[in-house]
Amino acid sequence: MKKSMYLFLFALLVLLSSCSIAKTQTLEEFYKDAKIENVDKAIIQDGSTGYSKTITKQEQIGELLNLIKDIKFTPQDNQEERTGWRYGLALFDGEKEFIFTLSKIENTYYDSNPDIYPIVENYYEQLDIEEK
């Protein structure tokens, strides 16, 4: 009886862990999965200063998305909790939103390829928008 109980618990554990395994995806796949189809506003927040820049001009939103949409995010082996982040982004489609940092989407830490950090940092620094 004990052996079958252990086998059942092991099978249950494998089933539950397989449901939570993250996979490599492009950023566009992530925000499309979140039902973000038409981004009408984007906010980039600098994690070191707390300042943020809001983008509402479609030309600028399109430019940003073209720079980052094909970046691939691969789950990191180490999923231990961390503190701090470099930049956070929020993409809005009306009332729907998709919020992430450059290394964490939902509850999973990722590596990006190519590295998203210099792309977002350069774009943020070049934005000529009133800081909020």
Side-chain angles (χ1 to χ4, degrees):
M1 187 69 154
K2 285 184 180 183
K3 188 174 185 177
S4 63
M5 180 60 92
Y6 287 121
L7 185 59
F8 172 77
L9 290 174
F10 177 76
L12 184 61
L13 180 63
V14 168
L15 179 64
L16 289 175
S17 65
S18 67
C19 294
S20 63
I21 294 176
K23 62 182 179 178
T24 299
Q25 295 188 102
T26 65
L27 185 59
E28 184 176 42
E29 290 172 321
F30 277 108
Y31 67 77
K32 295 281 184 182
D33 286 348
K35 307 294 186 227
I36 303 294
E37 299 293 330
N38 180 32
V39 178
D40 53 22
K41 181 171 82 171
I43 299 172
I44 304 174
Q45 185 173 18
D46 183 331
S48 59
T49 65
Y51 291 118
S52 64
K53 296 182 180 181
T54 301
I55 309 163
T56 56
K57 293 180 182 173
Q58 284 302 307
E59 182 179 314
Q60 290 177 320
I61 292 170
E63 188 177 288
L64 174 62
L65 293 179
N66 282 332
L67 290 171
I68 64 175
K69 68 180 180 145
D70 294 324
I71 293 175
K72 292 189 179 181
F73 285 79
T74 303
Q76 295 179 355
D77 291 334
N78 179 359
Q79 290 294 319
E80 291 179 30
E81 190 66 30
R82 297 144 210 197
T83 58
W85 42 273
R86 293 174 165 178
Y87 287 94
L89 280 85
L91 305 177
F92 296 87
D93 181 354
E95 296 296 315
K96 294 180 278 185
E97 63 184 18
F98 177 67
I99 300 172
F100 62 100
T101 68
L102 301 186
S103 62
K104 187 176 181 182
I105 300 174
E106 295 178 352
N107 293 318
T108 304
Y109 291 97
Y110 292 89
D111 289 319
S112 57
N113 187 17
D115 187 1
I116 191 172
Y117 173 73
I119 297 168
V120 171
E121 181 179 50
N122 289 336
Y123 192 83
Y124 180 85
E125 289 174 356
Q126 292 175 5
L127 276 174
D128 188 24
I129 297 177
E130 178 183 322
E131 294 182 1
K132 295 184 178 185

